[in-house]
Amino acid sequence: MDCIFCRIVRAEIPAEVVARTDDVVAFLDVQPLADGHVLVVPLAHEACVEDLEPAQADALFRVVRLLAGPVREAVDGAGTTIGVNNGTATGQTIPHVHVHIVPRWQNDGAGSVHTIFPRKAYRDVKEVGTLIRAAVAEASSGIDVGRGAD
Ligand SMILES: [Zn+2]
């Protein structure tokens, strides 16, 4: 398999690894957007978050949570932007789930998540909520999707 993240997971190519568990590896991005830009990847080669088994997702985000503070503190950051490009249409170039942790500073010139998107939401919020709750109910069992805001 040629996936670069799988090769890093297997230690076939060098990476600046900052954490490793039985399920997850975290390493510095080779094209960092900022000092301390970390990628957190599951060992499993899955393209999207929804492709992960629940335990794999739990392990992944457990490490994201663990790293958020130390990554920020190590480079004297004021915060972090944590993001996932989830699917090729979003700009995901490597089809192996990876969570970006990018340290941030006041007035660092980068925007918030909201600045990524030109605002293009046209549908009624309640209608969309109903559609999503129905899809969640179909896709899962044991998740309380609530009743919406009536
Ligand atoms: Zn992979």
Side-chain angles (χ1 to χ4, degrees), residues 33-34 79-83 102-117:
L33 296 172
T80 53
T81 290
I82 297 173
V102 185
R104 299 292 302 272
W105 294 265
Q106 291 290 337
N107 305 313
D108 62 9
S112 71
V113 170
H114 286 76
T115 64
I116 297 171
F117 298 89

Side-chain angles (χ1 to χ4, degrees), residues 37-114:
H37 180 175
V38 167
L39 300 177
V40 188
V41 306
L43 301 194
H45 178 84
E46 299 292 352
C48 293
V49 169
E50 57 268 41
D51 300 328
L52 293 171
E53 294 297 325
Q56 293 170 328
D58 289 350
L60 178 64
F61 284 94
R62 181 179 298 270
V63 172
V64 170
R65 178 193 172 278
L66 176 79
L67 287 177
V71 166
R72 174 181 47 76
E73 290 162 11
V75 294
D76 292 322
T80 53
T81 290
I82 297 173
V84 179
N85 294 316
N86 200 43
T88 55
T90 69
Q92 182 184 10
T93 55
I94 298 173
H96 185 139
V97 175
H98 50 290
V99 180
H100 295 261
I101 303 176
V102 185
R104 299 292 302 272
W105 294 265
Q106 291 290 337
N107 305 313
D108 62 9
S112 71
V113 170
H114 286 76

Side-chain angles (χ1 to χ4, degrees), residues 2-24:
D2 290 321
C3 172
I4 191 169
F5 292 162
C6 284
R7 297 186 68 198
I8 288 173
V9 161
R10 293 192 303 263
E12 292 174 2
I13 56 176
E16 191 64 32
V17 173
V18 296
R20 179 184 283 274
T21 71
D22 290 343
D23 309 289
V24 173

Side-chain angles (χ1 to χ4, degrees), residues 114-147:
H114 286 76
T115 64
I116 297 171
F117 298 89
R119 194 170 284 271
K120 289 187 177 176
Y122 307 111
R123 297 170 74 169
D124 178 74
V125 169
K126 286 192 174 197
E127 174 192 334
V128 174
T130 298
L131 292 170
I132 292 174
R133 282 189 293 277
V136 170
E138 188 176 308
S140 65
S141 58
I143 293 180
D144 180 6
V145 294
R147 296 195 317 263

